[in-house]
């Protein structure tokens, strides 16, 4: 990865003209998106530069404590966002945090123990970013599905409760459906890897000068880790989350 | 001692008092038909009886003890509720009949299942039938059999014959009458006034969440 390409600032500025195309379209077609596009672009540039400088600082520190702190920061933000989808759930943030953290740590541990990556900031942070982001999306889908199902399948749950079922046996179909919903996008993306698109990490490595075969090895690792992390996070979140829909008298709220 | 007692019971949903200062004692072995206009609180009353919902104020005693002191699952195993709109889960009738055994960790008693299927005029093959192919009346009877696989202390029935023809209504009525003679307390919500006079020993009329009347029927 050392013979990678470097982009100079002038080239980057020139590429910003691409934003103009979007602005011109919006203006001529009266889409009224100029302001949004402009603010979005400025925000993206500022956010990315800040993140870039923070990452460079942490990479230089080479201190595992700072890497771990950043990792927790990422997990907390992801948990906060995922919990918004399950706004009816008690302790949504805690459930999301525990689920994402568990998925991330188990997956990272396997990758580190197997020697696929090292606990170095330049490896851990981007890899964790992918893991945490995927878990966040999976949990958002799980929570949305779970909230909808408890509303739409009220009769089924109450029928099972009335027959003497515990809250778990009365909700098991909803829990399974929700886990499935969280995992399906990752499984679908796995099926079409390399056929529909070259995934982000692989594209990045190839752009940076890595041989495609080596990039593929990394991508395969990423695919495995995303499958593992979405499974772990979705499983934990759904099994912790379904209880929020019942009160202490085992009644559907 | 009453098997079930409501003491100054209130159930409020939003601003509405669905059950409004209701007090009643139900004795073991009672066969009470519950009648009254729609929205009068009949289904809510049954849901309170099996602890699917809790009172907002007041008390319900089961065998003299506050319901809140029981484990909710134990209560629902004793007090069985058959819904107005039968919901059959899973793919087959079998899935529905196995559930009550599963929650009790008991071995499936196929003889009992076949006996009940025959009592309700189904043949044994019906056990394997897919629920999506059942008619409304068949669903209602299968849902009722699901409630009867284990003899409850109290059986709550919510318009369980509304989708049945006259012949099947009589079959269900006879089965429930037999259960009552076997000591099971029956609370049966119905809109059919004639039905309420056939077997019950009391008729409870609920209106606006209150008891309008509790009529004791003299046996002939």
């Amino acid at each position: 990865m050392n013979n990678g390409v470097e982009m100079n600032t002038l080239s980057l500025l020139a590429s910003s003209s691409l934003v103009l195309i979007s602005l011109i379209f919006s203006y001529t077609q009266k889409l009224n998106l100029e302001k949004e596009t402009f603010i979005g672009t400025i925000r993206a540039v500022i956010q990315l530069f800040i993140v870039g400088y923070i990452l460079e600082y942490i990479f230089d520190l080479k201190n595992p404590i700072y890497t771990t702190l950043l990792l927790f920061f990422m997990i907390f933000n992801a948990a906060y966002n995922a919990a918004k989808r399950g706004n009816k759930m008690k302790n949504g943030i805690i459930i999301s945090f525990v689920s994402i953290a568990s998925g991330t740590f188990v997956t990272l541990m396997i990758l580190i123990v197997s020697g696929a990556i090292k606990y170095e900031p330049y490896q851990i942070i981007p890899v964790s970013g992918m893991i945490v982001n995927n878990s966040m999306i999976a949990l958002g889908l799980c929570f949305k599905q779970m909230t909808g199902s408890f509303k739409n399948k009220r009769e089924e749950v109450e029928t099972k409760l009335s027959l003497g079922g515990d809250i778990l046996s009365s909700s098991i179909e909803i829990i399974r459906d929700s886990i499935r919903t969280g995992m399906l996008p990752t499984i679908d993306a796995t099926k079409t890897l390399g056929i529909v698109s070259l995934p982000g990490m692989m594209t990045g490595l190839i752009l940076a000068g890595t041989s495609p075969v080596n990039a593929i090895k990394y991508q395969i690792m990423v695919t495995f880790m995303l499958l593992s992390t979405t499974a772990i996070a979705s499983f934990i979140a759904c099994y912790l989350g379904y209880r929020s829909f019942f009160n202490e008298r085992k009644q559907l709220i | 001692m009453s098997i079930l007692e409501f003491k100054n019971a209130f159930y409020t949903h939003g601003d509405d008092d669905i059950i409004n200062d209701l007090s009643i004692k139900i004795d073991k072995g009672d066969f009470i038909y519950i009648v009254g206009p729609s929205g009068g609180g009949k289904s809510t009353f049954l849901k309170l009886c099996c602890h699917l919902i809790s009172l907002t104020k007041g008390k319900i005693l089961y065998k003299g003890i506050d319901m809140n002191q029981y484990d909710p699952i134990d209560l629902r195993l004793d007090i069985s509720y058959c819904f107005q709109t039968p919901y059959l889960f899973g793919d087959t009738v079998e899935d529905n009949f196995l559930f009550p055994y599963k929650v009790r960790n008991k071995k499936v008693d196929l003889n009992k299942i076949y006996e009940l299927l025959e009592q309700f005029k189904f043949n044994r093959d019906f056990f394997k039938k897919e629920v999506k192919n059942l008619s409304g009346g068949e669903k209602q009877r299968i849902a009722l059999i699901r409630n009867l696989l284990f003899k409850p202390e109290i059986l709550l029935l919510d318009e369980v014959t509304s989708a049945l023809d006259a012949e099947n209504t009589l079959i269900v009525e006879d089965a429930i009458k037999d259960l009552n003679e076997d000591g099971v307390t029956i609370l049966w919500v119905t809109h059919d006034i004639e039905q309420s006079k056939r077997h019950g020993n009391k008729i409870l009329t609920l209106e606006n969440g209150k008891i309008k009347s509790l009529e004791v029927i003299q046996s002939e």
Side-chain angles (χ1 to χ4, degrees), chain A:
Chain A
M1 272 195 260
N2 293 333
N3 54 346
V5 288
E6 233 179 70
M7 189 188 283
N8 65 44
T9 314
L10 211 64
S11 310
L12 184 62
L13 276 175
S15 72
S16 69
S17 62
L18 293 168
V19 178
L20 275 178
I21 297 175
S22 169
L23 288 171
I24 291 166
F25 260 108
S26 175
Y27 182 72
T28 54
Q29 295 297 309
K30 295 190 170 59
L31 302 178
N32 216 11
L33 289 172
E34 300 94 287
K35 195 179 157 194
E36 295 245 14
T37 310
F38 187 71
I39 292 173
T41 310
I42 297 289
R43 269 189 65 164
V45 170
I46 293 171
Q47 281 166 200
L48 287 174
F49 266 109
I50 292 172
V51 170
Y53 279 111
I54 292 174
L55 288 181
E56 203 155 277
Y57 180 70
I58 290 174
F59 285 9
D60 284 344
L61 284 174
K62 289 189 176 158
N63 185 334
I65 294 172
Y66 288 104
T67 309
T68 310
L69 281 177
L70 188 65
L71 189 56
F72 272 109
F73 177 74
M74 283 155 63
I75 295 172
F76 178 78
N77 270 313
Y80 179 77
N81 269 299
K84 278 190 207 162
R85 293 275 181 194
N87 55 1
K88 279 201 169 176
M89 290 166 82
K90 272 186 283 174
N91 307 322
I93 292 186
I94 297 172
I95 291 171
S96 307
F97 187 84
V98 171
S99 317
I100 298 175
S102 308
T104 306
F105 289 129
V106 171
T107 308
L108 281 181
M109 223 166 66
I110 293 170
L111 291 178
I112 291 166
V113 169
S114 65
I117 60 167
K118 291 184 185 128
Y119 202 82
E120 297 280 351
Y122 76 95
Q123 292 198 355
I124 287 294
I125 291 167
V127 167
S128 304
M130 281 187 274
I131 294 176
V132 172
N133 184 52
N134 249 61
S135 306
M136 179 184 77
I137 294 168
L139 289 206
L141 292 170
C142 287
F143 291 160
K144 196 172 173 223
Q145 174 73 21
M146 191 172 258
T147 309
S149 293
F150 270 109
K151 196 174 158 197
N152 300 330
K153 295 188 169 178
R154 204 178 168 86
E155 277 181 335
E156 177 179 342
V157 179
E158 285 202 322
T159 298
K160 288 180 175 173
L161 285 174
S162 75
L163 289 166
D166 197 357
I167 57 170
L168 177 61
S169 57
S170 303
S171 322
I172 193 73
E173 298 300 329
I174 291 178
I175 295 171
R176 285 182 188 144
D177 265 357
S178 305
I179 296 175
R180 216 174 283 134
T181 305
M183 289 180 64
L184 267 180
T186 308
I187 295 170
D188 283 345
T190 306
K191 285 188 214 158
T192 56
L193 270 184
I195 302 172
V196 176
S197 69
L198 291 181
M201 181 171 188
M202 195 169 144
T203 311
L205 286 171
I206 293 170
L207 272 176
T210 308
S211 80
V213 172
N214 208 22
I216 279 170
K217 282 185 194 163
Y218 271 97
Q219 188 54 53
I220 290 172
M221 178 198 85
V222 167
T223 306
F224 292 161
M225 78 186 195
L226 293 185
L227 277 173
S228 134
T229 200
T230 47
I232 296 168
S234 305
F235 178 86
I236 295 177
C238 291
Y239 272 92
L240 290 178
Y242 82 95
R243 292 169 184 274
S244 312
F245 294 88
F246 297 89
N247 64 20
E248 71 282 4
R249 298 302 297 163
K250 297 182 179 175
Q251 296 162 341
L252 191 56
I253 299 169

Side-chain angles (χ1 to χ4, degrees), chain B residues 24-40:
Chain B
I24 188 172
K25 284 182 177 180
I26 294 158
D27 294 326
K28 183 163 173 58
D30 265 349
F31 190 145
I32 304 178
Y33 277 104
I34 303 165
V35 297
S38 296

Side-chain angles (χ1 to χ4, degrees), chain B residues 27-77:
Chain B
D27 294 326
K28 183 163 173 58
D30 265 349
F31 190 145
I32 304 178
Y33 277 104
I34 303 165
V35 297
S38 296
K42 302 186 295 293
S43 295
T44 304
F45 179 73
L46 292 191
K47 281 191 172 184
L48 285 164
C49 289
C50 65
H51 207 61
L52 273 181
I53 50 176
S54 287
L55 292 175
T56 32
K57 212 168 104 186
K59 264 185 186 174
I60 306 173
L61 308 180
Y62 174 59
K63 294 182 176 173
I65 299 167
D66 190 334
M67 263 195 175
N68 289 321
Q69 291 184 28
Y70 286 92
D71 181 291
I73 294 173
D74 290 343
L75 276 174
R76 292 174 200 140
L77 291 175

Side-chain angles (χ1 to χ4, degrees), chain B:
Chain B
M1 184 177 61
S2 312
I3 192 163
L4 203 61
E5 183 178 358
F6 279 61
K7 279 182 156 180
N8 304 105
F10 285 85
Y11 179 77
T12 310
H13 188 73
D15 292 331
D16 300 325
D17 286 328
I18 314 282
I19 296 293
N20 191 351
D21 199 12
L22 189 145
S23 295
I24 188 172
K25 284 182 177 180
I26 294 158
D27 294 326
K28 183 163 173 58
D30 265 349
F31 190 145
I32 304 178
Y33 277 104
I34 303 165
V35 297
S38 296
K42 302 186 295 293
S43 295
T44 304
F45 179 73
L46 292 191
K47 281 191 172 184
L48 285 164
C49 289
C50 65
H51 207 61
L52 273 181
I53 50 176
S54 287
L55 292 175
T56 32
K57 212 168 104 186
K59 264 185 186 174
I60 306 173
L61 308 180
Y62 174 59
K63 294 182 176 173
I65 299 167
D66 190 334
M67 263 195 175
N68 289 321
Q69 291 184 28
Y70 286 92
D71 181 291
I73 294 173
D74 290 343
L75 276 174
R76 292 174 200 140
L77 291 175
D78 269 10
I79 307 169
S80 189
Y81 176 35
C82 194
F83 287 68
Q84 181 175 11
T85 316
Y87 187 91
L88 301 184
F89 41 76
D91 298 321
T92 60
V93 169
E94 182 180 10
D95 293 333
N96 286 273
F97 287 173
L98 298 193
F99 191 80
Y101 290 95
K102 212 167 85 184
V103 298
R104 288 169 175 84
N105 279 323
K106 293 223 164 140
K107 206 172 155 257
V108 178
D109 182 355
L110 276 178
N111 288 332
K112 175 79 180 171
I113 290 172
Y114 291 147
E115 186 190 308
L116 279 164
L117 278 173
E118 279 161 15
Q119 187 182 356
F120 283 84
K121 304 289 177 230
F122 289 114
N123 60 44
R124 289 181 174 202
D125 300 342
F126 221 82
F127 186 49
K128 296 281 178 193
K129 197 144 183 175
E130 288 189 31
V131 292
K132 66 178 181 195
N133 296 328
L134 303 188
S135 71
E138 286 169 337
K139 280 184 186 167
Q140 213 158 30
R141 283 180 292 153
I142 292 296
L144 182 57
I145 293 174
R146 190 174 59 187
N147 284 80
L148 302 182
L149 291 168
F150 289 87
K151 196 175 99 176
E153 290 278 338
I154 304 175
L155 180 62
L156 312 167
L157 304 167
D158 200 348
E159 307 236 23
V160 291
T161 53
S162 59
L164 302 185
D165 55 28
E167 187 193 347
N168 281 308
T169 299
L170 277 178
I171 292 168
V172 169
E173 283 179 357
D174 285 344
I176 302 303
K177 195 178 148 200
D178 289 347
L179 266 176
N180 180 240
E181 283 168 3
D182 216 13
V184 178
T185 306
I186 310 286
L187 300 181
W188 189 338
V189 166
T190 182
H191 270 111
D192 184 351
I193 297 293
E194 287 310 309
Q195 185 177 51
S196 67
K197 289 176 182 165
R198 279 202 285 269
H199 307 292
N201 66 335
K202 288 172 189 166
I203 300 176
L204 169 68
T205 308
L206 288 182
E207 206 173 296
N208 299 321
K210 291 172 183 270
I211 297 176
K212 192 182 173 201
S213 64
L214 179 62
E215 181 189 345
V216 179
I217 303 167
Q218 301 300 322
S219 48
E220 288 160 18

